[in-house]
Amino acid sequence: MAPKRKAEGSTSSKKTKKTTSKSKNDSELLSLDQIQDLGDQIIDSFKVNNFVELLDQLKKVKTILESNEHVETESLGRNIAVILFKCFQKLLKDGQMINKKSNDEKKKVVAKWLLDKYSSFKKIIAEYIQGKLSFESSLQLDLLEINLNLIKLESQYLKSSSKDLYFPNVTYKELIEAIITSKAGEISSDGTSTNFIVLEFIEVFKKNWDLQFYFFNCLSDPLEEWKQTKSEDELRLIFSNVYTIIRTGLLFDSEKLEEQPTWIQGKLPSIAYKQSTFKAQYQKCIITILTYPLLSNQYKAILLVLHKRIIPYMTQPQGLMDFLTDSYDVADDSVVPILALNSLYELMKNYNLEYPDFYTKLYSLLTPELLYTRYRSRFFRLCDLFLSSTHLSASLVASFIKKLARLSIGSSASGVVIVIPFIYNLLKRHPTCMIMLHNIEGSKKKDYTDPYDNNEKNPMNTNAIGSSLWELETLMSHYHPNIATLAKIFGEPFRKHSYNMEDFLDWSYISLLESEKTRRYKTMAALEFEEFDRLFDSNDKKETDRALIEGWTI
């Protein structure tokens, strides 16, 4: 949380005694001493009407800060908020805001009036957090801290009896809605939010189970409502704020939720420890925000963590099928389908998702751009897993082998380093495809054409099994010595074990250059040279030709 500021303002009262702004609203602000007097009167003589003046002053401060940065006004607003907090804290502890069973109608009316002003105070705090001031004000962080402390107070003093377990859902929901719809930040390149209020809230959120459980419980309905009422830009900002919060990790992994720390004191209601309830609310929130109109970087960000940080917390991950199949079929971005592979495979493996065109789409991802993308390592790890079954058709596997061999011709050296061992492993795993290495029909015909159809989208119809891997022989003459040496493995008997793909997936131009720099040679190359003092030798027989060169002398 933000460091606590001095509420009394004893050291800064001289600076903030009177504001000097020419603004009309600024001229209507009270001094710090006047604000302090109003607070003292509430506590000492219970002058409840002073609440109206203090709340009005807090609203005026917000109006000023929305138009310009005013340090003195910000300090005044902080002190007003702290004074109001202390007043409500005392009233809550004294029980003056609870409508207890009593025949005193006057006390009931006063308690109702105080609760109304208390609600107004929380509403103003939410407006500060939700709104976008002219600068990143520390006052917003202070109000966030005050609101979280109000949740603690309510859990202790607004319950009907001392034995009841109570979590103030209403207050927490107002705070969550203000944080999620806050406009104090922007969407970063990795899909997260730069909102300093969200980042501050995360510091408390990630440590307390009750804040996590009720977060999704309170947010599920508003997310659905916002989809109908907010603009696309607002929805993207909401998604960014929610994603930034949930990607920090949850305490749900713990075997004993009852032992997890909580923000409020004491044990929570029993429903807060039911995994099925949490998963149901969590799933509802996730599926709702995935229907929002997302930016490309947000699409990629959620797919990167979906299989590890989201699917395990859902009660029915099958609900993500539509989102993932749509992501897998994205045609205008080659990266999104690759990132969708992890989660799609998770659903196919553990949740019986049926996707008949899976390998057809996987084959379509083999494009020249694939070997240049930053996510190629992720793709080849998964592709190696998908093609590991020995029950796959030889025609299907041959299409993948031939396509990768064809792509390697125009790929970077770092991409070819991955393709060669990958093809070698496939041939070892599927020996029926070895015919592609031993096909010599092409050498007998002068007008031979490769029967492989590189434009065919269905891997079962490419006729790759009737082709040959002449591309691999081409790689044996590659300009990079490491590639040429590696490719020569196909000209030798297949007696070596399969390659460990992890040794090749992270290669790049930098690693290739480093391997050359650190290579040890058995013998050093012999060099012989002769130094000359002049450009032309005076005894040169072509003296006549040299004389024709103007401006040159011997």
Side-chain angles (χ1 to χ4, degrees), residues 43-264:
I43 295 176
D44 297 337
S45 55
F46 196 56
K47 288 190 176 182
V48 292
N49 287 332
N50 290 358
F51 278 113
V52 178
E53 183 64 27
L54 289 175
L55 292 172
D56 185 59
Q57 289 289 305
L58 193 57
K59 288 181 180 180
K60 291 178 180 178
V61 169
K62 179 176 177 293
T63 302
I64 295 173
L65 295 180
E66 286 176 340
S67 59
N68 59 76
E69 182 175 352
H70 201 304
V71 178
E72 293 184 353
T73 305
E74 181 185 9
S75 177
L76 182 63
R78 181 178 297 111
N79 282 279
I80 295 172
V82 173
I83 289 172
L84 283 169
F85 170 75
K86 289 183 176 181
C87 293
F88 283 119
Q89 181 182 36
K90 185 177 186 303
L91 294 173
L92 283 168
K93 289 181 177 180
D94 294 343
Q96 299 185 57
M97 294 173 59
I98 302 177
N99 290 317
K100 294 182 178 180
K101 295 180 181 180
S102 174
N103 296 325
D104 192 337
E105 293 297 330
K106 184 178 179 181
K107 289 185 178 181
K108 288 183 179 180
V109 172
V110 172
K112 184 178 179 180
W113 188 87
L114 288 173
L115 283 173
D116 181 65
K117 298 309 167 189
Y118 179 63
S119 298
S120 299
F121 178 51
K122 292 187 293 183
K123 184 178 180 181
I124 295 174
I125 291 178
E127 291 174 353
Y128 266 94
I129 295 173
Q130 185 180 23
K132 188 173 183 180
L133 304 185
S134 60
F135 62 104
E136 292 187 357
S137 172
S138 60
L139 174 58
Q140 293 171 292
L141 299 182
D142 292 325
L143 293 176
L144 172 63
E145 183 177 5
I146 287 175
N147 205 320
L148 288 170
N149 286 327
L150 289 176
I151 292 174
K152 275 186 178 180
L153 291 173
E154 288 186 28
S155 67
Q156 297 176 40
Y157 302 111
L158 280 186
K159 53 189 179 182
S160 57
S161 66
S162 59
K163 295 182 180 180
D164 290 341
L165 298 173
Y166 172 70
F167 185 90
N169 276 298
V170 176
T171 300
Y172 188 50
K173 183 179 180 180
E174 292 174 353
L175 175 62
I176 292 302
E177 291 183 9
I179 293 174
I180 298 303
T181 57
S182 172
K183 301 176 182 178
E186 298 178 350
I187 302 172
S188 61
S189 58
D190 62 351
T192 58
S193 173
T194 61
N195 193 320
F196 69 104
I197 300 174
V198 172
L199 298 177
E200 188 72 18
F201 172 72
I202 288 175
E203 295 301 314
V204 182
F205 175 83
K206 66 182 181 181
K207 300 174 184 178
N208 297 281
W209 168 246
D210 53 345
L211 297 184
Q212 294 184 9
F213 176 85
Y214 289 103
F215 177 85
F216 299 101
N217 193 46
C218 295
L219 197 58
S220 57
D221 291 334
L223 286 175
E224 190 66 39
E225 295 173 4
W226 292 333
K227 191 167 66 171
Q228 308 299 329
T229 58
K230 301 288 186 181
S231 65
E232 288 191 0
D233 290 338
E234 289 175 324
L235 291 176
R236 288 172 181 140
L237 192 61
I238 289 172
F239 175 89
S240 179
N241 290 335
V242 174
Y243 170 69
T244 304
I245 292 174
I246 63 176
R247 75 190 292 269
T248 58
L250 302 173
L251 298 173
F252 184 73
D253 290 331
S254 174
E255 296 180 358
K256 296 183 179 180
L257 294 175
E258 293 83 354
E259 297 179 358
Q260 292 297 328
T262 57
W263 180 249
I264 66 173

Side-chain angles (χ1 to χ4, degrees), residues 177 186 292 398 443 534 552:
E177 291 183 9
E186 298 178 350
Y292 283 8
S443 61
R534 57 180 64 186
W552 287 61

Side-chain angles (χ1 to χ4, degrees), residues 24-56:
K24 180 180 178 181
N25 289 327
D26 203 357
S27 62
E28 296 175 355
L29 290 178
L30 300 177
S31 67
L32 180 59
D33 290 339
Q34 291 173 318
I35 295 296
Q36 189 67 54
D37 289 340
L38 290 174
D40 292 340
Q41 290 174 14
I42 293 175
I43 295 176
D44 297 337
S45 55
F46 196 56
K47 288 190 176 182
V48 292
N49 287 332
N50 290 358
F51 278 113
V52 178
E53 183 64 27
L54 289 175
L55 292 172
D56 185 59

Side-chain angles (χ1 to χ4, degrees), residues 338-355:
I338 294 175
L339 298 180
L341 281 175
N342 276 106
S343 301
L344 198 58
Y345 173 71
E346 185 73 18
L347 294 186
M348 293 172 64
K349 177 184 176 183
N350 298 323
Y351 300 97
N352 301 320
L353 170 64
E354 293 184 5
Y355 192 27

Side-chain angles (χ1 to χ4, degrees), residues 50 202 227 240 244 284 315 328 403 512 537:
N50 290 358
I202 288 175
K227 191 167 66 171
S240 179
T244 304
K284 187 177 180 181
T315 181
Y328 197 45
K403 186 73 170 182
L512 287 171
D537 189 356

Side-chain angles (χ1 to χ4, degrees), residues 466-484:
S467 178
S468 65
L469 295 175
W470 56 264
E471 297 91 349
L472 299 180
E473 185 173 0
T474 304
L475 292 178
M476 295 179 187
S477 303
H478 198 274
Y479 73 88
H480 197 289
N482 286 4
I483 304 296

